[in-house]
Amino acid sequence: DTGVSQDPRHKITKRGQNVTFRCDPISEHNRLYWYRQTLGQGPEFLTYFQNEAQLEKSRLLSDRFSAERPKGSFSTLEIQRTEQGDSAMYLCASSPTVSGVYNEQFFGPGTRLTVL
Amino acid sequence: DAKTTQPNSMESNEEEPVHLPCNHSTISGTDYIHWYRQLPSQGPEYVIHGLTSNVNNRMASLAIAEDRKSSTLILHRATLRDAAVYYCIRFYGQNFVFGPGTRLSVLP
């Protein structure tokens, strides 16, 4: 399967612990997005990368959150000192950038985080 | 506000057409309208997009109002596999702004 993959699929942690999620985009896609989705809501944009450059961050991305895409391939999203309010599904998506063509976003299955 | 407005839920019978409405009254002239859907326990997936004229693809049709303040996603024959949350999305800045979507139930 050459779709977007995310690891782990589920993570349970205790409040105050740090967690890290990984996203592997479709190989030829140079844009990578992170979203957060809480129950009953649509995904909320967190940040996106063009290759290795982080081009935009939402104000939802507090200083406890950090994302990297060191070689323009896979990306990691780290949450430090987790809080119960961080419990959510974290979705990753990727898209190509082809000028003049609509760039559909391809989503991964998500990582469900539960903070106890 | 960049978010769109959709009904919270809709119901359809299997093999009947479904019309899912969306209001996007603050849309600018160059914003595309995008529709994605999210099946249970999966990430969203692309359905269709358009700018001004009506669009068709193998999954659905998109009817865009002449003033572009609203649009309708049309599933011509709903199947049980079409039960999902359907999101009408604006592309704001460089990113999608999702609302809560419409939860479509398909009855056998």
Side-chain angles (χ1 to χ4, degrees):
Chain A
D1 190 303
T2 56
V4 177
S5 62
Q6 294 187 245
D7 183 68
R9 294 291 307 276
H10 303 273
K11 178 71 177 179
I12 299 174
T13 191
K14 292 183 179 178
R15 189 178 56 185
Q17 298 294 303
N18 299 343
V19 294
T20 300
F21 310 140
R22 176 179 171 127
C23 171
D24 286 89
I26 294 171
S27 59
E28 64 269 24
H29 287 183
N30 46 19
R31 283 198 173 184
L32 187 148
Y33 305 81
W34 285 99
Y35 293 85
R36 180 177 72 184
Q37 184 174 27
T38 53
L39 201 61
Q41 301 299 313
E44 296 173 293
F45 167 76
L46 292 178
T47 188
Y48 93 95
F49 293 84
Q50 173 88 16
N51 299 312
E52 65 276 9
Q54 188 173 16
L55 295 186
E56 188 168 340
K57 293 193 289 187
S58 163
R59 66 178 186 275
L60 294 174
L61 210 68
S62 76
D63 57 5
R64 296 185 299 105
F65 288 69
S66 62
E68 293 183 342
R69 195 182 182 198
K71 296 182 180 179
S73 56
F74 73 91
S75 175
T76 57
L77 178 69
E78 181 184 16
I79 309 174
Q80 296 182 326
R81 305 182 303 281
T82 52
E83 301 172 356
Q84 288 182 324
D86 297 331
S87 295
M89 176 75 82
Y90 290 84
L91 292 161
C92 175
S94 70
S95 72
T97 47
V98 180
S99 177
V101 176
Y102 174 67
N103 298 319
E104 172 187 346
Q105 291 191 19
F106 294 81
F107 283 81
T111 294
R112 180 166 296 285
L113 173 67
T114 302
V115 182
L116 302 176
Chain B
D1 186 355
K3 288 189 179 177
T4 57
T5 305
Q6 299 175 253
N8 290 334
S9 62
M10 291 184 66
E11 239 178 40
S12 172
N13 293 318
E14 197 176 9
E15 308 225 340
E16 289 187 355
V18 182
H19 291 233
L20 297 164
C22 177
N23 288 320
H24 30 81
S25 56
T26 60
I27 194 172
S28 75
T30 56
D31 283 350
Y32 278 81
I33 297 301
H34 310 257
W35 285 81
Y36 279 64
R37 72 179 186 181
Q38 189 169 22
L39 302 171
S41 302
Q42 295 186 25
E45 63 176 2
Y46 170 80
V47 177
I48 201 166
H49 77 285
L51 183 62
T52 54
S53 54
N54 296 343
V55 184
N56 301 293
N57 67 19
R58 63 175 179 80
M59 288 181 71
S61 296
L62 178 60
I64 301 174
E66 196 170 332
D67 62 6
R68 298 202 343 112
K69 294 185 183 302
S70 65
S71 60
T72 302
L73 178 71
I74 302 164
L75 307 179
H76 295 286
R77 289 181 62 202
T79 70
L80 297 178
R81 291 183 302 172
D82 291 323
V85 179
Y86 286 78
Y87 297 103
C88 167
I89 304 162
R90 283 181 58 188
F91 199 66
Y92 188 73
Q94 290 291 323
N95 308 299
F96 285 152
V97 179
F98 287 79
T102 296
R103 181 172 298 278
L104 175 66
S105 302
V106 180
L107 306 176

